[in-house]
Amino acid sequence: MSDPGRYVEALFDDDVPMPAGMGQAWTPEFHGAVMARLRAGSGPRTCSVYKYVSGIHKTPGTYRSGRQTELRNDREVMEATDFWVGRRVEGTDSKLAASILEHGVEAAVRQYDRGRAAAWYALWRRCKTGRPLRKHRGFHTFTEGGVDDCPDCVRDMDRLASGAFDRAAAELLDAGGPAAEWPEQAVRQVAWVTAQHHPHSRLFARRGAIWYIDLFRASVVVFDGRSIAASPVPFTLDPESDVDFVADATRCDQQIVAFSGKHNYRAAQRYGRHVLLVEGTYYTSRGQAEMNYSVWLSPPTTEEAAGLVEDFAASLPRSFRRVPVWSAPERGSVMREYSGEYAVGVWGSNWTTGLQGARLDHEFAGEEEAIAALEAQELDWLRAGKVLTNLYLRMPEPKPDQNDTNRSC
């Protein structure tokens, strides 16, 4: 079911379950059609609103490195919840009501809408059955929209409704201090209260300010010790293709690679005035690092882009150790993986390929020739629409001795 009109019809048929795949079909126009239909009808349309907010509270974004980015439709969820609350009647199915209100409360908390969050939370707790929780159950923190009926969330909701969070944020700002000296939790509280942002992944420090990607990977924000502001440099998060950023490139102009331990990595690559920043974290359950984010920063000049790379290098956490761009004798080959391609790196005059027992392949006249050929291959892949999906540090297996043959005894 890909036609949005058919989804709308299914939403308003109480005998039809929540349509699968509605999140993929969602658009702002789709939302407008649903709200127009709700307002034109009579009654609260509890089942329709329940199916709608449950289906669109987060929708898929771009796909990169095996991870699906989630986009939060908080304002749309709040609009639908607001409609339902204004028309609800006593005796409504408590499970449906609780689900609608839960999505509404979490969206309102993320957007720092104190009035709606407090009012809807009171209604939500009335709809809940069973004993209150003794411990917060959510993956996200309260400020990120992780809300339940445990004592901590009850306390935090009271603080939100009373203005205590506003006062705490104001006290932090009054105390001031250089941005680099602020604890991360304090930055996040001030950002949430004053700008409805959730700084999460720290990119680098630049001119006394700290640059972040937000929790839901929707924006790049900057904290200067006094306020949170949008990135002054155009950015693109997790693009489906990197073609536009390398259109005029003849090579990669600058690269920085750093690893923490064997697997966690941070890296920067500059093509002209476009800078790609990536970070990967090792996941024990999957036995490898996976890319957490990729972001292109596109300042107006190559000089400013080069400065961003230098700031990135200077801001690496202490646990990260810079390694040579292509290989480190004691640690192995820095291997890059592009979508749909095998991982490849350089080791001396050879390319290294594969991950399980990285092998030496494609021998060249020397290391410079191997690097030049790989840089050309990377540009070809990028221009073909492929994206960098992961980095690895691997010690390749020694090349087999041509004279070493199996002999029977």
Side-chain angles (χ1 to χ4, degrees):
M1 184 186 290
S2 59
D3 177 12
R6 296 176 63 190
Y7 279 104
V8 173
E9 292 303 319
L11 284 171
F12 287 88
D13 187 339
D14 291 348
D15 295 326
V16 175
M18 182 171 65
M22 183 169 59
Q24 285 86 343
W26 187 90
T27 63
E29 293 74 21
F30 182 5
H31 175 71
V34 171
M35 293 308 303
R37 182 86 172 258
L38 286 172
R39 294 184 179 110
S42 60
R45 297 298 313 186
T46 299
C47 185
S48 299
V49 173
Y50 159 74
K51 288 191 288 186
Y52 185 58
V53 298
S54 299
I56 65 114
H57 72 281
K58 56 184 179 181
T59 57
T62 56
Y63 181 82
R64 190 180 185 112
S65 187
R67 297 174 64 82
Q68 189 78 35
T69 306
E70 293 174 349
L71 306 178
R72 298 279 173 164
N73 294 325
D74 288 335
R75 298 190 185 282
E76 290 78 9
V77 167
M78 289 169 62
E79 186 178 0
T81 303
D82 211 17
F83 166 87
W84 179 83
V85 169
R87 297 194 181 191
R88 69 184 180 86
V89 294
E90 295 297 330
T92 300
D93 185 303
S94 60
K95 289 185 177 180
L96 297 185
S99 181
I100 293 170
L101 290 164
E102 181 174 348
H103 290 309
V105 169
E106 292 178 352
V109 167
R110 276 192 293 271
Q111 294 298 319
Y112 205 73
D113 188 320
R114 289 191 294 146
R116 288 185 175 87
W120 294 347
Y121 186 68
L123 291 175
W124 177 69
R125 294 194 73 207
R126 285 167 50 190
C127 294
K128 292 289 291 180
T129 58
R131 294 181 180 178
L133 298 175
R134 291 165 53 185
K135 184 179 180 180
H136 182 72
R137 67 180 181 193
F139 174 76
H140 293 304
T141 67
F142 176 82
T143 61
E144 298 163 358
V147 182
D148 52 38
D149 57 352
C150 72
D152 287 344
C153 287
V154 172
R155 177 205 64 205
D156 286 341
M157 188 60 76
D158 288 342
R159 294 182 66 205
L160 179 72
S162 69
F165 280 124
D166 302 70
R167 293 189 291 273
E171 290 172 3
L172 287 169
L173 288 171
D174 287 342
E181 297 179 5
W182 278 62
E184 293 296 319
Q185 189 57 41
V187 174
R188 292 173 184 175
Q189 179 169 356
V190 167
W192 172 55
V193 170
T194 64
Q196 292 78 61
H197 281 298
H198 304 277
H200 184 66
S201 299
R202 181 168 172 163
L203 293 174
F204 54 80
R206 178 174 173 79
R207 298 173 185 171
I210 312 298
W211 294 47
Y212 295 89
I213 293 177
D214 79 352
L215 177 71
F216 302 111
R217 288 160 63 179
S219 63
V220 174
V221 295
V222 179
F223 177 67
D224 63 2
R226 299 177 300 277
S227 63
I228 287 283
S231 166
V233 172
F235 64 87
T236 306
L237 275 160
D238 297 315
E240 295 181 6
S241 167
D242 296 335
V243 171
D244 293 341
F245 305 103
V246 299
D248 300 324
T250 57
R251 57 164 295 168
C252 183
D253 299 297
Q254 243 176 318
Q255 293 197 71
I256 301 291
V257 180
F259 277 85
S260 176
K262 182 71 174 177
H263 301 289
N264 300 322
Y265 62 82
R266 293 191 179 189
Q269 297 183 186
R270 179 174 71 85
Y271 297 86
R273 67 179 185 87
H274 302 288
V275 178
L276 173 66
L277 304 180
V278 297
E279 178 191 77
T281 300
Y282 182 76
Y283 293 90
T284 304
S285 62
R286 296 189 282 279
Q288 67 176 34
E290 292 184 2
M291 191 177 288
N292 293 328
Y293 65 77
S294 65
V295 57
W296 284 95
L297 299 174
S298 302
T301 67
T302 56
E303 291 77 14
E304 188 172 351
L308 288 175
V309 176
E310 292 169 1
D311 291 333
F312 171 83
S315 303
L316 287 167
R318 292 182 180 179
S319 62
F320 281 79
R321 175 186 173 187
R322 283 186 63 176
V323 300
V325 171
W326 297 105
S327 63
E330 73 281 6
R331 303 189 75 186
S333 174
V334 179
M335 304 181 68
R336 295 160 175 81
E337 187 175 53
Y338 287 81
S339 51
E341 299 292 340
Y342 51 80
V344 61
V346 170
W347 188 253
S349 60
N350 290 86
W351 283 5
T352 54
T353 58
L355 294 175
Q356 302 302 323
R359 63 187 182 276
L360 298 178
D361 200 356
H362 295 77
E363 186 168 6
F364 297 86
E367 185 177 48
E368 290 185 4
E369 289 80 2
I371 290 171
L374 184 50
E375 284 188 326
Q377 177 65 82
E378 288 185 296
L379 267 178
D380 286 344
W381 282 337
L382 290 169
R383 288 178 177 139
K386 298 182 184 299
V387 294
L388 180 65
T389 58
N390 220 349
L391 271 69
Y392 307 89
L393 194 58
R394 292 286 191 274
M395 185 67 73
E397 294 183 346
K399 182 180 288 188
D401 190 336
Q402 297 289 338
N403 298 319
D404 186 18
T405 59
N406 292 326
R407 294 189 177 93
S408 57
C409 296

